[in-house]
Amino acid sequence: MVIIIKKSELKLYANSDLFKDITDKQMQILIASIELFSEKGYANTSTKEIAKKAGVAEGNIFSKYTNKRGLLDAIITPVIKSILPSAMQDLLDESMDPSNLTLDSLIRPLLKNRIIFLQENAKVLKIFISELLYDKSVVTQLLENAPAPYWTAINTTIDALKEKKLIVNWDNLEILKVIWSIIGGVVLGYLLFDQPLTKESTDHSTDALINALSI
């Protein structure tokens, strides 16, 4: 049985240990799990369904991953420990040059680049976001693995915008809440409610965020 999944969604794990010493059957199990968890949800998917879609015996799941939770952990743990922190660091490298800083130069690349990342890795991120919403321990793990330089750099960037009088003079945490709420709305709308991400809708979200934070 051939299971079709976008290569970019597996490329997400290229620098993790997820595929280390993995057999073809185990790869099929992972791919089938990503497909089914993203389509039906973790709670509504059985190991029997995963095995059937992967074209393997159900025992192959238990021998490698112990149980269904082990499969889920195999998918989302690399996202928490390496993939999202790496994406956050890339964002710092790309978007936060203080020499030519404006609110637009911060927000527009931030939204554009994250939306591209979102579209390229939709199935995996849908699984991750679903767990993030329903399991507080996932939130804790995510915060613990966020690189410290990210928080320092984002605060420095916001302070620099305040000095230039290019952003509202609110507490930095309040500003971040506004950013996260609008970007989070875009993410949830796309992943959980099938709202399309067109150039027009992305531009509107970007403009709304800039307007919300402008003086």
Side-chain angles (χ1 to χ4, degrees), residues 14-214:
N15 296 323
S16 76
D17 292 329
L18 183 63
F19 300 144
K20 186 178 180 181
D21 301 324
I22 196 172
T23 67
D24 289 342
K25 283 185 178 181
Q26 290 162 357
M27 175 70 82
Q28 289 295 91
I29 290 169
L30 274 174
I31 293 172
S33 300
I34 291 171
E35 289 279 0
L36 288 169
F37 288 165
S38 64
E39 178 188 340
K40 300 180 62 176
Y42 168 75
N44 296 322
T45 301
S46 68
T47 53
K48 185 176 291 187
E49 289 174 297
I50 294 170
K52 181 178 179 181
K53 191 171 185 67
V56 303
E58 194 173 4
N60 290 115
I61 297 175
F62 304 134
S63 64
K64 172 68 176 177
Y65 302 104
T66 306
N67 52 35
K68 188 173 71 166
R69 183 70 205 189
L71 257 175
L72 180 66
D73 288 341
I75 293 167
I76 68 171
T77 297
V79 178
I80 295 171
K81 290 192 172 180
S82 61
I83 295 167
L84 287 185
S86 176
M88 291 163 73
Q89 187 59 53
D90 289 344
L91 183 60
L92 292 182
D93 296 339
E94 294 168 6
S95 305
M96 298 186 184
D97 178 8
S99 62
N100 191 28
L101 183 65
T102 65
L103 186 56
D104 190 279
S105 71
L106 172 66
I107 298 300
R108 207 164 292 280
L110 185 146
L111 252 172
K112 179 182 178 182
N113 294 341
R114 291 315 95 196
I115 284 174
I116 292 171
F117 181 78
L118 175 65
Q119 291 174 316
E120 289 180 345
N121 304 287
K123 287 186 174 68
V124 172
L125 291 178
K126 183 176 181 180
I127 297 167
F128 174 72
I129 292 294
S130 296
E131 285 305 296
L132 199 65
L133 292 174
Y134 297 115
D135 188 343
K136 290 183 179 179
S137 68
V138 176
V139 178
T140 301
Q141 291 178 64
L142 179 61
L143 292 174
E144 288 175 349
N145 284 276
Y150 172 81
W151 304 112
T152 301
I154 192 67
N155 277 295
T156 300
T157 301
I158 292 173
D159 290 341
L161 287 170
K162 286 180 182 178
E163 287 181 13
K164 293 183 176 183
K165 300 190 184 305
L166 295 176
I167 196 169
V168 289
N169 191 27
W170 300 345
D171 181 81
N172 288 2
L173 183 57
E174 290 300 315
I175 291 173
L176 287 173
K177 284 179 180 178
V178 172
I179 294 174
W180 290 333
S181 66
I182 292 180
I183 294 180
V186 172
V187 170
L188 292 177
Y190 178 68
L191 292 179
L192 303 185
F193 301 104
D194 297 321
Q195 295 176 358
L197 286 176
T198 63
K199 183 181 184 304
E200 183 179 32
S201 67
T202 301
D203 286 343
H204 288 168
S205 297
T206 304
D207 292 341
L209 184 47
I210 292 172
N211 289 336
L213 296 176
S214 296

